[in-house]
Amino acid sequence: MAIADRKERAMREREHLILEHADDLLRFKGYLGLNLDELAERIEYSKATIYNHFKSKEDLVLGVATMHLATRHDLFGRALTFEGRTRERMFAVGMADQILSQLYPHGFPTLQLVRTPSIWEKTAAERRTAYFDKSGACIRVATEIIRQAKAEGDLGEGSASVEIIITGLVSLAKGAHLLADGERMFPLESGIEPLELLNENYQLYLDGVGWEPLGSDWDYDATEERIREELFGEELRVLQGG
């Protein structure tokens, strides 16, 4: 391996190390508690080394958010490999979102945090581009499944457009995450957990747009078991402490 290649790999590994520890600090201490001196001590590098990778604290936080999007894209992408009906593949995307919310409960708040003007406006253009690339890649997985559904006849002629369906799904997901994030601060007496109900709401929505097979005509409990075993076994073992 050439020296330049080794240096580039070392840079990538060091940046990943910085991001992982910054993510941990964000999770437990929040943005205001993310101290670069403490981060440097954790990773056993100087603060100057951190600045060699990230021009500012805001860039670092955006890097963490992009890392979460990369993980999301990885899990979403597995849905495309699932052998079954198109609606089952979309079901897998919904399950991936639910699993991610359990593995990384701070992930969605971090994505929201970086879009606040006080942070976003101080980030570098290349960091924003990387963020949008990963965000767009996640959306493209879902839109590809919708296009497959139209091509295979699971969404019949005259059904809602790809844009309308994806907007509805994203709205459901973001709404559930916002509610869940708020309920951690202000719990309802009802004990409703929006993210636990998200897949049921997806199913109702997909029934509403006529995406076959409808919930009344298909055993989606069996689909869920297959998805768990075939796509997300490793993540579920982590959640189960295995």
Side-chain angles (χ1 to χ4, degrees):
M1 182 182 294
I3 293 175
D5 291 338
R6 287 200 300 270
K7 286 183 176 180
E8 184 177 344
R9 186 179 68 179
M11 284 282 287
R12 288 198 304 268
E13 290 174 350
R14 188 163 58 243
E15 181 162 314
H16 185 69
L17 177 70
I18 293 169
L19 288 170
E20 282 193 323
H21 282 275
D23 183 41
D24 193 53
L25 287 171
L26 274 171
R27 178 176 184 177
F28 293 104
K29 297 192 174 184
Y31 177 72
L32 294 178
L34 176 58
N35 181 283
L36 297 191
D37 289 312
E38 181 181 359
L39 177 59
E41 185 177 347
R42 278 190 173 213
I43 64 174
E44 299 182 342
Y45 284 100
S46 68
K47 190 158 69 170
T49 299
I50 297 173
Y51 280 118
N52 283 338
H53 289 266
F54 303 94
K55 295 178 182 178
S56 65
K57 180 177 175 178
E58 291 80 11
D59 266 0
L60 174 59
V61 177
L62 185 54
V64 170
T66 305
M67 180 177 68
H68 278 287
L69 286 173
T71 303
R72 180 173 296 271
H73 180 242
D74 172 38
L75 266 66
F76 280 16
R78 296 180 203 177
L80 289 171
T81 70
F82 187 73
E83 293 185 7
R85 299 288 292 270
T86 58
R87 182 160 161 176
E88 291 183 287
R89 290 197 282 278
M90 187 59 80
F91 190 96
V93 172
M95 283 187 62
D97 189 29
Q98 197 170 53
I99 290 168
L100 285 165
S101 72
Q102 295 173 314
L103 284 171
Y104 311 106
H106 60 300
F108 180 78
T110 301
L111 295 175
Q112 293 295 107
L113 173 68
V114 297
R115 296 306 304 271
T116 57
S118 60
I119 293 178
W120 186 257
E121 292 171 1
K122 296 178 183 177
T123 57
E126 61 269 22
R127 290 284 171 189
R128 297 182 195 178
T129 298
Y131 174 92
F132 281 131
D133 284 347
K134 286 300 178 187
S135 179
C138 292
I139 294 295
R140 283 193 292 275
V141 171
T143 55
E144 172 59 22
I145 296 172
I146 298 170
R147 291 192 179 99
Q148 291 173 357
K150 286 182 172 290
E152 295 175 23
D154 289 340
L155 279 167
E157 189 176 346
S159 60
S161 68
V162 173
E163 293 76 15
I164 288 174
I165 295 173
I166 194 66
T167 299
L169 290 168
V170 170
S171 298
L172 279 172
K174 287 203 170 185
H177 279 284
L178 286 170
L179 282 171
D181 193 39
E183 295 315 315
R184 281 194 285 272
M185 296 174 61
F186 307 105
L188 292 173
E189 292 180 3
S190 64
I192 292 174
E193 293 289 345
L195 291 173
E196 291 181 9
L197 299 175
L198 182 54
N199 255 334
E200 292 182 40
N201 283 315
Y202 280 145
Q203 294 292 69
L204 290 171
Y205 175 74
L206 296 180
D207 277 349
V209 298
W211 195 329
E212 297 182 351
L214 301 179
S216 57
D217 301 329
W218 193 264
D219 185 356
Y220 282 104
D221 288 339
T223 294
E224 181 175 350
E225 286 304 311
R226 280 190 59 210
I227 291 170
R228 285 175 173 272
E229 293 174 7
E230 297 176 22
L231 300 184
F232 305 127
E234 183 178 345
E235 287 75 19
L236 291 169
R237 281 191 292 273
V238 170
L239 287 173
Q240 293 162 3

